[in-house]
Amino acid sequence: MLKVITVVGYIFFGLLISITDIRYRLILNRHLLLFAGFTVICNFQKIDISTLKILFAVTVILAILHLLFAKEIGAGDLKLFWVISFWSHSFAFWLQLFSLAWVLGGAFSAISAISFWKFRRNIPLAPSIFLAFVPAIAA
């Protein structure tokens, strides 16, 4: 039963945050905060020293990305990557899903450019992030 609630909640927050990102190109902090609370509650028993190590490594990577690409990557996307890292069981797994999210985002951008005959500089990355991290929910 708990797994069903986890999946339904993940889908709910995935849709909520993704629709807002697609529509307004913005990830609202209040949605992220609610998703963060849900994430911590769902993964409370899994949080240990290895989780903190993963969070530290993820924080360093995301901080570097923010410093290097502040105008290209939205802060909401980086915060979403951080919150969703609680679902990963290892740093290597997080890195795989992180990479998959960028590939999916690029594919979405390419399809969008072909479909609408113009390239949008700012693409909504939240749907790609949530899709890429689905295997973490199943694990």
Side-chain angles (χ1 to χ4, degrees):
M1 182 67 178
L2 184 60
K3 191 67 166 177
V4 172
I5 293 170
T6 300
V7 171
V8 169
Y10 185 84
I11 292 170
F12 170 77
F13 283 109
L15 289 173
L16 176 69
I17 292 171
S18 295
I19 289 170
T20 304
D21 195 24
I22 291 169
R23 184 177 269 172
Y24 303 110
R25 303 291 193 269
L26 187 68
I27 296 177
L28 300 174
N29 284 335
R30 66 176 169 259
H31 292 166
L32 273 175
L33 189 60
L34 290 170
F35 181 56
F38 172 77
T39 296
V40 169
I41 289 169
C42 288
N43 294 296
F44 188 73
Q45 293 178 336
K46 296 181 200 174
I47 297 175
D48 58 2
I49 193 71
S50 66
T51 306
L52 297 177
K53 289 178 185 178
I54 293 169
L55 287 174
F56 178 75
V58 167
T59 302
V60 169
I61 289 173
L62 295 177
I64 291 169
L65 285 174
H66 180 66
L67 291 172
L68 294 175
F69 305 106
K71 294 186 178 167
E72 286 82 21
I73 304 172
D77 295 322
L78 296 175
K79 289 184 270 188
L80 179 57
F81 273 122
W82 190 83
V83 170
I84 214 161
S85 66
F86 276 90
W87 297 93
S88 297
H89 56 76
S90 72
F91 180 70
F93 187 58
W94 179 87
L95 207 51
Q96 290 173 344
L97 299 180
F98 176 77
S99 300
L100 179 60
W102 287 105
V103 170
L104 290 173
F108 177 78
S109 178
I111 292 168
S112 176
I114 292 168
S115 301
F116 301 116
W117 297 100
K118 65 179 181 178
F119 179 73
R120 296 193 99 142
R121 184 152 163 63
N122 55 354
I123 60 168
L125 198 57
S128 302
I129 295 170
F130 278 103
L131 281 175
F133 278 82
V134 164
I137 304 305

